Amino acid sequence: MDRIKNKELQVGDTVYYLAPSSSYSIKKSVITEKRENQSKGRFHLFKGCELTLADGTTIEYDKVFDSKEQVLAYIVDDLQTSVASKRIGLQTLQKELAVCERLLKMYKDALQKNSVR
């Protein structure tokens, strides 16, 4: 959505969004209906509303982008965050694996020493 110019999207505007069936599949459609979101207590930009698109998709206002460049930038940012998170998780697992391997070797050696006696 056009947050830089603080312009609210309207019926007839073309929007881009990520398809719910695929993490990074970009879809393009036109807004055909705009309904105010009835849920209370939730913060939504521009009064919070749901959009109905020409392709039949119903989506929250804050899940659409008004240009392909914006959705691509979102995907790049999301993937960078995901890669960094997974890298940290992998490093943690590698450290845990190294500890387990050291313990395994230590206990195998102890078992072998006790078997020899």
Side-chain angles (χ1 to χ4, degrees):
M1 62 209 82
D2 198 340
R3 293 182 178 139
I4 295 171
K5 297 176 188 166
N6 208 23
K7 181 188 103 191
E8 189 172 349
L9 295 171
Q10 300 297 326
V11 171
D13 287 347
T14 298
V15 293
Y16 297 83
Y17 66 99
L18 297 175
S21 59
S22 175
S23 298
Y24 299 110
S25 176
I26 300 170
K27 300 287 185 177
K28 178 181 177 181
S29 194
V30 175
I31 300 171
T32 57
E33 185 182 354
K34 196 172 161 183
R35 290 182 311 279
E36 189 171 330
N37 199 331
Q38 299 301 320
S39 61
K40 295 181 180 167
R42 290 176 50 191
F43 172 77
H44 289 278
L45 190 62
F46 298 117
K47 301 179 191 173
C49 63
E50 286 185 338
L51 304 174
T52 301
L53 306 178
D55 63 10
T57 302
T58 301
I59 191 166
E60 289 187 36
Y61 187 99
D62 60 356
K63 303 282 184 197
V64 299
F65 304 85
D66 66 353
S67 72
K68 190 169 185 177
E69 290 76 22
Q70 285 180 334
V71 73
L72 289 170
Y74 173 85
I75 289 171
V76 167
D77 184 58
D78 188 60
L79 285 170
Q80 286 176 329
T81 301
S82 180
V83 166
S85 174
K86 289 180 187 331
R87 186 169 284 129
I88 289 169
L90 179 59
Q91 290 169 346
T92 300
L93 287 173
Q94 287 173 327
K95 288 177 185 176
E96 290 174 6
L97 179 61
V99 168
C100 288
E101 287 173 336
R102 283 193 302 272
L103 287 171
L104 177 60
K105 183 182 180 322
M106 182 181 76
Y107 284 107
K108 276 184 171 180
D109 290 347
L111 179 61
Q112 189 176 18
K113 286 179 185 176
N114 283 336
S115 297
V116 172
R117 291 186 184 173

